[in-house]
Amino acid sequence: MPPAPPPQSPPPAYLALCSHTHLFPGARCRLQGLPHPEAFAAAPEPVDVHLRFSDGTAAPADLRTAPATLSVAAHTTAAGTPLDESAWFVKGFTLDRDEVEMTIGARAPSPPPGAAG
């Protein structure tokens, strides 16, 4: 019997620096470390994201496509405000040098439609 293939590591979660302490329509987050940011801005793909908010707190999130939706895990702000799990439509993606700026749109229903990507 041939040896089993080595286990595959999970895909990376890309860091996204957010301009505020929470998400809302119009908020912006900058995706960093994408291998091909120009291609991603033109045709985003589903990825895992690690959101870092302006107050230093963080939350895991999933970016899915068709429609572009960001699902964010429940977390607490630095001021102690608990935020429930949420989903947001992404209004757009813009290339800025080697980063992709993601603009948040309206709140999406949870679970988001088309979550499978």
Side-chain angles (χ1 to χ4, degrees):
M1 180 178 276
Q8 293 185 356
S9 59
Y14 294 101
L15 179 63
L17 299 178
C18 299
S19 58
H20 292 84
T21 60
H22 60 283
L23 297 179
F24 56 88
R28 297 172 189 263
C29 299
R30 298 175 70 82
L31 285 162
Q32 301 183 327
L34 292 166
H36 305 286
E38 186 173 317
F40 189 92
E45 299 177 10
V47 294
D48 291 331
V49 178
H50 181 79
L51 298 174
R52 176 138 342 220
F53 295 97
S54 65
D55 63 0
T57 60
D62 295 316
L63 176 63
R64 299 297 170 240
T65 57
T69 308
L70 185 68
S71 296
V72 183
H75 59 284
T76 302
T77 68
T81 304
L83 299 175
D84 292 334
E85 180 178 338
S86 60
W88 299 87
F89 290 114
V90 178
K91 191 172 8 177
F93 297 90
T94 307
L95 180 67
D96 186 4
R97 288 170 270 170
D98 61 347
E99 298 176 346
V100 174
E101 187 172 76
M102 183 172 51
T103 302
I104 303 301
R107 199 162 200 145
S110 288

